[in-house]
Amino acid sequence: MSVAEQLCVALDGSDREWIVASANKLTGRVGWLKLGLEAFVAHGPKLVAAVADTGVNVFLDLKLHDIPATVRRAATNCAASGAAMLTVHAGGGHEMIEAAVEGIRAGGAADRVRVVAVTVLTSLDEHALRQLGLDRSPADLVARWSRMAEQAGADGVVASAHEAAAIRSLCGQRFVIVTPGIRPAGQSRDDQRRVVTPGEALRAGSSILVVGRPVTRADDPVAAVESILEEMADAI
């Protein structure tokens, strides 16, 4: 896998024209483009199809979290939209994750759509988890939920690079580890608490790195991507 195939740019926003224009600009330079809840609520599956039509893999980050029957049907619909990867919340449990995988299969997309389970959001630290009544460290919770997700049939998880080595040890080399909260050296953390550089994430064992504002808010997004790719290449 090339470093470009390991880089995902998050197109977080509601402006359809900007999202599609950004997709056209970045297609062929990165392996993935992420569409999140904000964009999907504003424009729905037609936006997913429009971005997928540019030729890039679409990472549809909806973090599905509901009863298994609902998640199963929603996953089938997401697969039909043209997405190549879909998130569910690991906190929904084994049966819900399994239902998402079944939903992808029901849509005839098991060979081309990955299901990845979100473990602990990178905006949450140990103090925030305690406020939620979860008396575990982020590392312990991520390890437990990653193993559960693998056993439920998920292709991988979304997790910080801080936990990537432990996940890799538990779940094997083929398990996909998607890491958000990536910040090139010297850049602001923004609202993320557990952030790492691209090089640190790759060395820890992350498979796909998700970068948002360092690219989308750059004066020259293409140049920002090229700089990140150089940093990734240097790390490996």
Side-chain angles (χ1 to χ4, degrees):
M1 185 185 296
S2 69
V3 289
E5 292 173 310
Q6 293 182 274
L7 181 59
C8 175
V9 173
L11 300 181
D12 294 327
S14 303
D15 186 332
R16 188 184 191 281
E17 184 177 348
W18 171 79
I19 291 170
V20 174
S22 297
N24 280 304
K25 187 180 298 184
L26 296 173
T27 293
R29 300 179 185 276
V30 299
W32 298 84
L33 293 175
K34 182 175 82 72
L35 297 177
L37 191 60
E38 180 182 352
F40 191 80
V41 169
H43 305 290
K46 289 183 179 179
L47 176 62
V48 180
V51 174
D53 283 346
T54 68
V56 73
N57 291 313
V58 176
F59 173 25
L60 186 54
D61 185 23
L62 298 185
K63 300 181 180 69
L64 300 179
H65 192 168
D66 211 312
I67 63 172
T70 297
V71 168
R72 182 183 294 106
R73 293 190 294 267
T76 298
N77 292 340
C78 288
S81 73
M85 186 157 62
L86 170 69
T87 53
V88 300
H89 257 300
H94 184 286
E95 187 178 352
M96 190 208 75
I97 297 170
E98 195 171 53
V101 175
E102 291 169 356
I104 294 295
R105 291 198 194 105
D111 61 338
R112 61 181 177 84
V113 181
R114 299 172 178 176
V115 174
V116 292
V118 177
T119 54
V120 178
L121 298 174
T122 52
S123 59
L124 299 177
D125 56 14
E126 195 160 351
H127 173 69
L129 290 178
R130 284 198 301 271
Q131 289 180 318
L132 291 169
L134 297 170
D135 192 19
R136 289 181 177 273
S137 70
D140 288 345
L141 196 57
V142 168
R144 177 182 289 263
W145 282 358
S146 295
R147 185 63 176 142
M148 176 190 65
E150 184 206 17
Q151 292 171 340
D155 297 282
V157 292
V158 178
S160 166
H162 295 296
E163 289 86 41
I167 296 169
R168 188 65 67 211
S169 176
L170 280 171
C171 302
Q173 292 302 311
R174 297 182 64 183
F175 201 62
V176 176
I177 302 173
V178 181
T179 297
I182 300 294
R183 291 292 183 273
Q187 294 212 6
S188 168
R189 287 173 169 257
D190 294 310
D191 58 354
Q192 306 283 1
R193 297 186 183 182
R194 297 183 298 127
V195 300
V196 294
T197 67
E200 288 170 339
L202 289 179
R203 286 190 292 269
S206 298
S207 312
I208 298 172
L209 313 186
V210 182
V211 182
R213 285 165 282 196
V215 171
T216 58
R217 290 186 181 177
D219 293 335
D220 186 343
V222 171
V225 163
E226 291 173 351
S227 177
I228 292 168
L229 291 174
E230 288 177 8
E231 190 173 341
M232 292 168 66
D234 288 343
I236 59 175

